[in-house]
Each structure stands twice: as C-alpha cells, then as structure tokens.
Amino acid sequence: MNPADPRKPQSVAKAKKAITDYKKALGQPEGLAELTVFYCEEVFAFLAVCGVEDEDFYVALVSMFEQALKYVLALPVSQQPDFIARLDRVRGLGQDLGWGVGEDFDIFWAEAGLPGEA
C-alpha cells in the first residue's frame, strides 16, 4: 500500500463504503472482521504520514473500532485471538491520540468484557 499523499484529499466515506459494499455483497463474518480491523490499523499508518484535525475523522475511527469489536466477538472463539491482539494494539495507539479516542476505545473494550487496563 502506498503511503497517503498529503496533497490528495482523503475520504473516510470511501473507505467505509468499501466495507459496506463487502457486507452487502458477501458479508462473511471473518471478512468483515478483517476489513474493520484493517481499517483501524490503517488509520494509524495514515496518521503517521498526515496529521488530521477533523473531529469527524476521529468519530469515524471510534465507530469503526466499535464495529470491529462486534464483528470479531461474533466469530467462533477459535478465530478471535489474532483479531483481538490486533485491536488491542490499535487500542494502545489510540491512548495518546486525543479527541477522546483512547477513552472511547477503553469503554468499548471494557463493555466487550475483554481483559486489559481501561
């Protein structure tokens, strides 16, 4: 994947649409878990290249994190550990982000009953 080009406008809506399209077309639980977790991971790759001062961007990230948790926890228990580990890394990255992202991540994490500091 090429790093984000700061000269090109980035679209959260387009990224989310890809997940919605997949859900409508196939909707396989493991695929939805992968796409939503990957979205969350890629936000932090994007932020490493481009700073974002847009509340809607962070609201979308928190919403996707919540969805990712739901999709992952709906999988058979045997398929969950790798996804949970990836989301826990995302949760850790969100702690210093601001905009209340870390706090929101922790709330959803605790509500899901997952172990870890909240």
Side-chain angles (χ1 to χ4, degrees), residues 20-43:
T20 301
D21 290 348
Y22 176 85
K23 185 176 182 179
K24 288 177 185 175
L26 298 174
Q28 295 175 343
E30 188 172 2
L32 287 167
E34 176 60 40
L35 286 172
T36 55
V37 171
F38 182 75
Y39 174 101
C40 293
E41 291 169 330
E42 287 302 300
V43 163

Side-chain angles (χ1 to χ4, degrees), residues 48-68:
V49 177
C50 302
V52 176
E53 293 297 323
D54 178 10
E55 183 178 6
D56 291 340
F57 178 88
Y58 296 100
V59 168
L61 170 59
V62 169
S63 175
M64 190 62 67
F65 183 84
E66 180 184 22
Q67 287 180 30

Side-chain angles (χ1 to χ4, degrees), residues 34-115:
E34 176 60 40
L35 286 172
T36 55
V37 171
F38 182 75
Y39 174 101
C40 293
E41 291 169 330
E42 287 302 300
V43 163
F44 288 95
F46 175 78
L47 289 172
V49 177
C50 302
V52 176
E53 293 297 323
D54 178 10
E55 183 178 6
D56 291 340
F57 178 88
Y58 296 100
V59 168
L61 170 59
V62 169
S63 175
M64 190 62 67
F65 183 84
E66 180 184 22
Q67 287 180 30
L69 277 172
K70 288 178 183 177
Y71 289 136
V72 168
L73 294 175
L75 293 172
V77 174
S78 63
Q79 293 179 320
Q80 294 178 11
D82 289 340
F83 288 114
I84 290 172
R86 289 169 61 192
L87 282 174
D88 197 23
R89 282 191 293 277
V90 166
R91 186 173 69 101
L93 291 170
Q95 297 309 304
D96 296 323
L97 201 52
W99 298 88
V101 171
E103 293 86 357
D104 289 343
F105 281 3
D106 285 345
I107 289 168
F108 293 126
W109 193 262
E111 287 174 353
L114 294 169

